[in-house]
Amino acid sequence: MSTFCIGVHDMATGRERRTVALDTVGCKLNQAETELMAKQFADAGYQPVTVTGEADVYILNTCTVTHIADRKCRQRLRLVRRQNPGALIIATGCYAERAHQEIARIAGVDLIAGNKHKPHLVKLVEKTAGPGGPATSDACSGDYIGPRTRAFVKVQDGCNSSCAYCIVPLVRGGESSLPADQIIVEVKHRVSLGYQDVVLTGTKVGSYRYDGVGLAELLQRILSETGVNRLRLSSLQPPEISPVLVALWRDRRLCRHFHLSLQSGSDSVLRRMKRVYTTGEYQRAVSLLREMVPEAAITTDIITGFPGETAAEFEQSYELCRRLDFARIHVFPYSPRSGTGAARLPQPVAASVKRARSERMLALAAAGALSFRWRFLSRKMSVLWEKRAADGVWSGLTENYIKVYTRSDEDLTNQLLPVTVTEMWGDGVWGSTDS
Ligand code: SF4
């Protein structure tokens, strides 16, 4: 087992404070949970530090949604052990839940803790590190690491669906939502820390329900009871899109960005995937969003090469994506996750075919993203500036999720400023803050 070796000298107490670095692979729900863990460690007296520096404790919140996510987690754990030989290294999250034996084979991982252990990680670290807890300091209580621009707040966890390709219900369990009062407190807390943009996350945010309060009522309460400037949802499913819900977007604090996973544009593939909507229902949801929230960015996920996906089924998928003209498409070549229904199906789609289909879909995605950004040329948009790169160029996000770049000598961090879009720029647009 590694021992603690580094500490930050606390001027207020004259004691050493242990440092903790929290790192995340995966979805916005994981990011929200990492933020919660950061708060728990800060409250227990730990000093949060960046993942690129040295730390007494390094925690990786892992993801297992694809084999690529698994590999990324393993690589990151090995790298951290090489760079940080004295740290206590902990793997938690979905990969730790699903395949702790695989992580246990990585030399130098001290502790593997599944999702249910996340709320108790401080205690587990104390137990693993031996007696003598960290020095505590009120000064760091409630501290977070990183720029306070966008916060992730968990509202829900788990999933009662059984999409054939998905490992998530197995590692996250059934649906459960958090009380609205607790979420309001959490959002207010983030606002008081300076966050401008709050993302509500969960495995299936649209199925939020606690004590008779559904997602629409939750959003209404957050808008009326907190001072949040921007509020986003991580993702929704077509059956969850209703006129009552979408009418809430009249409040401009609700960001005009909807992530609506399609997965396939072929009804026969959707049936085999055990998705709960048809392409017709999906298109109706998109039409409603476009009618009621013009200029919204609608983004999606597509799986290529699902077991048995024929050339004709892929063409249907491609054609629907072309017609729906998404602002962004995340393309995933299908990879079997053991324990899922789809992994037990015959796997006739060759890797080369999956690759070719993914490439076509990615080219379509790039064209759609560019044409979406073009619509805003010469327009004035509100940008939340997040960070400055080494070359002095700032980047930030519009409410409809367009990345904007500009050059400024001022510190723009966390400022919400109007900009005029002047040209296309890399994966985003260039904005002028002068006018
Ligand atoms: S809805 Fe389907 S894809 Fe989404 S988490 Fe649940 S099982 Fe997985």
Side-chain angles (χ1 to χ4, degrees):
M1 191 205 349
S2 309
T3 51
F4 287 107
C5 62
I6 315 154
V8 172
H9 192 73
D10 188 317
M11 300 300 280
T13 62
R15 299 166 73 186
E16 294 292 309
R17 279 163 55 189
R18 287 173 178 166
T19 53
V20 61
L22 288 116
D23 202 357
T24 312
V25 174
C27 64
K28 292 184 172 79
L29 175 58
N30 250 14
Q31 291 181 40
E33 289 178 342
T34 299
E35 287 185 17
L36 275 179
M37 289 188 280
K39 184 173 183 320
Q40 283 157 0
F41 275 89
D43 286 347
Y46 286 77
Q47 169 74 41
V49 294
T50 61
V51 293
T52 49
E54 285 186 43
D56 298 316
V57 181
Y58 171 88
I59 298 169
L60 181 66
N61 195 0
T62 61
C63 172
T64 192
V65 72
T66 60
H67 72 281
I68 294 168
D70 291 351
R71 191 169 62 209
K72 206 172 186 178
C73 294
R74 291 193 299 271
Q75 284 170 342
R76 214 170 278 187
L77 288 165
R78 286 192 193 99
L79 181 73
V80 168
R81 173 49 77 218
R82 279 201 303 278
Q83 292 178 338
N84 225 331
L88 185 84
I89 294 183
I90 297 155
T92 185
C94 293
Y95 186 30
E97 180 80 37
R98 185 187 71 79
H100 58 91
Q101 328 79 313
E102 283 176 30
I103 300 179
R105 286 199 287 272
I106 302 171
V109 176
D110 298 293
L111 185 64
I112 303 165
N115 282 321
K116 58 186 170 298
H117 296 298
K118 281 178 177 168
H120 319 294
L121 266 193
V122 173
K123 273 198 190 133
L124 284 172
V125 164
E126 301 292 311
K127 220 163 128 191
T128 312
T136 55
S137 158
D138 288 340
C140 69
S141 191
D143 277 359
Y144 289 94
I145 191 83
R148 289 176 182 166
T149 53
R150 197 167 358 135
F152 297 92
V153 171
K154 174 175 167 175
V155 301
Q156 181 277 343
D157 201 351
C159 180
N160 292 347
S161 299
S162 45
C163 301
Y165 53 83
C166 183
I167 191 76
V168 172
L170 296 178
V171 291
R172 288 268 174 190
E175 289 169 15
S176 66
S177 298
L178 296 168
D181 287 344
Q182 189 181 323
I183 295 165
I184 303 274
V185 167
E186 199 57 47
V187 172
K188 281 184 176 167
H189 180 57
R190 302 307 169 89
V191 171
S192 74
L193 288 171
Y195 288 99
Q196 306 256 25
D197 192 329
V198 170
V199 188
L200 302 183
T201 73
T203 310
K204 227 172 134 196
V205 173
S207 70
Y208 176 85
R209 181 151 291 274
Y210 190 93
D211 253 1
V213 174
L215 183 63
E217 295 105 301
L218 176 69
L219 294 178
Q220 268 164 336
R221 280 198 58 188
I222 295 173
L223 291 170
S224 62
E225 295 176 34
T226 75
V228 67
N229 281 329
R230 282 182 170 188
L231 188 60
R232 294 180 192 277
L233 298 181
S234 55
S235 65
L236 287 170
Q237 304 228 9
E240 297 152 1
I241 305 285
S242 70
V244 173
L245 181 74
V246 184
L248 295 175
W249 265 256
R250 286 195 200 108
D251 187 320
R252 291 302 294 260
R253 288 175 296 163
L254 271 168
C255 290
R256 291 172 298 164
H257 172 215
F258 299 91
H259 186 75
L260 213 56
S261 283
L262 173 60
Q263 307 299 11
S264 171
S266 152
D267 281 313
S268 43
V269 175
L270 285 178
R271 275 195 299 278
R272 295 206 296 280
M273 286 178 166
K274 297 199 184 337
R275 296 292 280 174
V276 292
Y277 51 84
T278 62
T279 55
E281 284 159 347
Y282 188 95
Q283 290 176 83
R284 279 193 287 284
V286 169
S287 300
L288 184 70
L289 291 174
R290 290 207 163 127
E291 185 192 318
M292 294 182 71
V293 195
E295 303 188 343
I298 299 179
T299 57
T300 201
D301 302 313
I302 289 288
I303 295 173
T304 57
F306 184 77
E309 183 189 62
T310 62
E313 286 170 333
F314 172 74
E315 289 308 324
Q316 287 167 359
S317 213
Y318 183 88
E319 181 54 25
L320 184 60
C321 289
R322 193 191 59 73
R323 272 191 286 120
L324 290 178
D325 199 16
F326 290 107
R328 190 177 298 180
I329 306 175
H330 301 278
V331 181
F332 300 92
Y334 172 76
S335 70
R337 303 271 68 200
S338 104
T340 61
R344 292 190 286 275
L345 296 173
Q347 311 284 324
V349 186
S352 57
V353 174
K354 279 186 212 170
R355 211 166 30 245
R357 289 178 187 174
S358 294
E359 277 164 16
R360 271 189 71 199
M361 204 53 103
L362 283 168
L364 183 68
L370 187 61
S371 97
F372 181 70
R373 297 200 297 271
W374 265 108
R375 289 170 51 191
F376 298 93
L377 189 65
S378 306
R379 296 273 299 277
K380 202 162 239 184
M381 307 187 82
S382 167
V383 175
L384 178 60
W385 294 104
E386 296 196 337
K387 55 184 179 228
R388 180 158 59 180
D391 58 1
V393 172
W394 287 88
S395 61
L397 281 181
T398 64
E399 54 162 324
N400 59 356
Y401 226 64
I402 296 176
K403 206 161 187 184
V404 185
Y405 297 91
T406 199
R407 195 178 294 279
S408 174
D409 295 333
E410 287 173 42
D411 183 0
L412 301 182
T413 318
N414 209 22
Q415 293 196 51
L416 261 175
L417 294 174
V419 302
T420 304
V421 175
T422 56
E423 59 185 301
M424 301 297 109
W425 189 269
D427 60 349
V429 298
W430 189 265
S432 155
T433 54
D434 303 335
S435 45

